Amino acid sequence: MIKNRGEMVLLYNIEEKQLQKKYQILCLRLGLRVKMVAKEQFKEPIGALAGARDVPFKGITYEGEAFEEPMMILKLYSNQKLDQFLSGIRKEGIPKIDLKAMLTEYNKGWDSFQLYEELKKEHEYMTGKTGESE
């Protein structure tokens, strides 16, 4: 069996060093790479950030305002690895990130802002907060 390579977790707006370390330890234990995405990279395609060979970087450095909520993108090759990762988060007591998605053929060309907006809408719908003002 060929070992899947390139599995990784993209993390956004995880500023606390202790929390970053918890994610890094969990990912290391599961054989996953972890990448803290800098705000300057938010306009790059998420597929490129995740190392997808068919999605090139655009060479855009973003310098404007950005969302500040934590967000996670998972590039995993099996449901078993996803289950292990999510179970590890619970076991380690790592705070929940509401905005999370799997990297897919459909979203790999999106930039971080596009995915954020989609996840935000989905989360509001799922929690019944649709239409409420902040």
Side-chain angles (χ1 to χ4, degrees):
M1 182 174 135
I2 298 173
K3 184 177 178 184
N4 288 322
R5 298 199 182 273
E7 291 183 305
M8 74 181 324
V9 177
L10 300 177
L11 294 172
Y12 293 75
N13 302 319
I14 308 294
E15 305 300 328
E16 184 186 329
K17 295 294 182 197
Q18 192 71 351
L19 187 54
Q20 288 179 10
K21 189 166 184 90
K22 285 183 178 186
Y23 274 110
Q24 290 167 338
I25 291 168
L26 174 61
C27 288
L28 180 64
R29 204 174 0 186
L30 295 174
L32 305 172
R33 293 184 315 158
V34 63
K35 179 176 183 169
M36 303 295 171
V37 180
K39 288 180 181 163
E40 295 78 20
Q41 299 174 306
F42 282 15
K43 286 303 242 176
E44 290 290 350
I46 60 173
L49 295 171
R53 293 183 181 150
D54 60 340
V55 182
F57 280 96
K58 293 183 176 180
I60 300 170
T61 300
Y62 182 72
E63 297 177 5
E65 291 292 314
F67 60 91
E68 295 182 13
E69 291 168 90
M71 185 170 79
M72 176 188 306
I73 300 170
L74 304 167
K75 179 186 169 197
L76 304 175
Y77 299 131
S78 72
N79 287 334
Q80 179 184 6
K81 188 68 81 169
L82 175 62
D83 291 343
Q84 290 172 339
F85 179 73
L86 296 175
S87 174
I89 288 174
R90 285 189 296 276
K91 285 179 186 172
E92 296 297 323
I94 298 172
K96 180 180 165 189
I97 293 178
D98 291 327
L99 306 179
K100 56 185 163 288
M102 294 292 291
L103 183 70
T104 66
E105 288 295 316
Y106 180 72
N107 67 20
K108 69 182 180 181
W110 294 3
D111 67 32
S112 300
F113 290 106
Q114 288 171 288
L115 183 61
Y116 170 78
E117 289 300 324
E118 192 66 28
L119 290 176
K120 187 86 171 142
K121 281 189 254 178
E122 182 180 296
H123 181 69
E124 288 171 355
Y125 177 78
M126 295 301 284
T127 58
K129 294 181 182 176
T130 307
E132 289 184 11
S133 59
E134 293 185 50

